[in-house]
Amino acid sequence: MELALLYSGGKDSSLAALLLDEFYDVRLVTAHFGVTDDFQHAREAAAELGFPFETVTLDESVAEDAVEQMVDDGFPRNGIQRVHDHALETVAALAVDAIADGSRRDDRVPTVSRAAAQSLEDRHGVDYIAPLSGFGRHAVDDLVAANLAVETGPSETVPKADYEGELRAILADRHGDDAVDEVFPDHEQTYVHGRR
C-alpha cells in the first residue's frame, strides 16, 4: 500500500518513516510554499535514508494568513497548526492509500485530533497514521539515538525543511527581523544525515 509521509528531514518524520517502512511503500513528501529552497534539505535526508521523495506546493496565502496570526498571537503555535492542517489536506489529495506525519504524543504543535483525523480520512478516502503518537519524547530520543545520525542545534542554524523556515522568511519580509525574534522562541531543531 502506498503511503505519503509529511517529511521535514528531522528526527521525528525520519523515525516515522523507518517505523512505517515495514508495512507500507513509503514516499517522503515535503510540503512547501516556494518561498525558500529549504525543501532541498529534506530531499538530501530522504536520499540518505533511501526513501523516494517528492514535494507538493502549498497555497502561499495560507502562509501569509498564518504569519499574520502569529503576529497577532505573539507566538507561532496557531499559525504552524494552520499550515500543518493545509499540508495534510494537500497530501491527502495525492493518489495514496494512507498519509502520515511525525507528530508525537507530547507535541504541542502540530497536532491532529481524533475528529480531524476521521474527517480527513472520510473526505479523502485515505488512512491517517501518526506512528509516533504513542511515543513520548524520551522514547523517541532513544530510538533516534540508536538508529539515526542526527545534527541538533538552534533552529536558525540547523538545515531543515519544515514550515518554520519559510514562515520566518515571510514574517521577516512583512514585519522585519525583530518580529521573528518576538514570535519564535529559541528552540532546537534536528536534521538527519542518515542511518546508524
Side-chain angles (χ1 to χ4, degrees):
M1 292 186 292
E2 295 281 335
L3 179 138
L5 171 69
L6 272 176
Y7 188 66
S8 68
K11 68 176 182 163
D12 295 335
S13 56
S14 295
L15 180 60
L18 296 181
L19 293 172
L20 291 166
D21 191 40
E22 181 74 21
F23 306 101
Y24 292 92
D25 295 324
V26 176
R27 176 185 344 160
L28 304 182
V29 180
T30 296
H32 68 100
F33 294 100
V35 173
T36 69
D37 63 355
D38 287 351
F39 68 89
Q40 295 293 351
H41 300 303
R43 181 185 307 279
E44 292 165 13
E48 289 296 326
L49 295 176
F51 285 98
F53 176 83
E54 69 183 75
T55 63
V56 292
T57 303
L58 302 176
D59 181 347
E60 194 171 341
S61 69
V62 173
E64 293 166 358
D65 292 344
V67 163
E68 295 310 314
Q69 183 167 14
M70 290 177 187
V71 170
D72 291 345
D73 293 344
F75 55 84
R77 183 180 311 152
N78 295 325
I80 289 174
Q81 185 66 52
R82 179 181 285 195
V83 172
H84 190 70
D85 292 344
H86 176 54
L88 283 173
E89 291 286 339
T90 303
V91 172
L94 300 175
V96 293
D97 302 298
I99 62 170
D101 61 22
S103 58
R104 298 176 317 208
R105 180 188 72 208
D106 300 340
D107 284 345
R108 291 183 183 179
V109 68
T111 61
V112 178
S113 71
R114 182 176 180 175
Q118 289 175 326
S119 174
L120 192 67
E121 290 177 333
D122 291 345
R123 287 181 292 104
H124 293 281
V126 298
D127 294 324
Y128 166 73
I129 302 167
L132 302 183
S133 65
F135 290 81
R137 179 184 177 121
H138 295 294
V140 168
D141 288 346
D142 288 346
L143 289 171
V144 166
N147 293 286
L148 297 169
V150 177
E151 176 182 352
T152 303
S155 182
E156 56 277 359
T157 64
V158 172
K160 61 188 171 303
D162 63 5
Y163 319 122
E164 185 179 324
E166 290 187 305
L167 293 173
R168 282 175 177 258
I170 295 168
L171 181 58
D173 184 58
R174 287 181 159 207
H175 297 279
D177 291 334
D178 289 344
V180 175
D181 294 333
E182 291 170 12
V183 168
F184 283 95
D186 291 337
H187 65 284
E188 290 194 338
Q189 290 281 9
T190 60
Y191 178 68
V192 171
H193 289 281
R195 299 183 195 220
R196 288 200 178 278

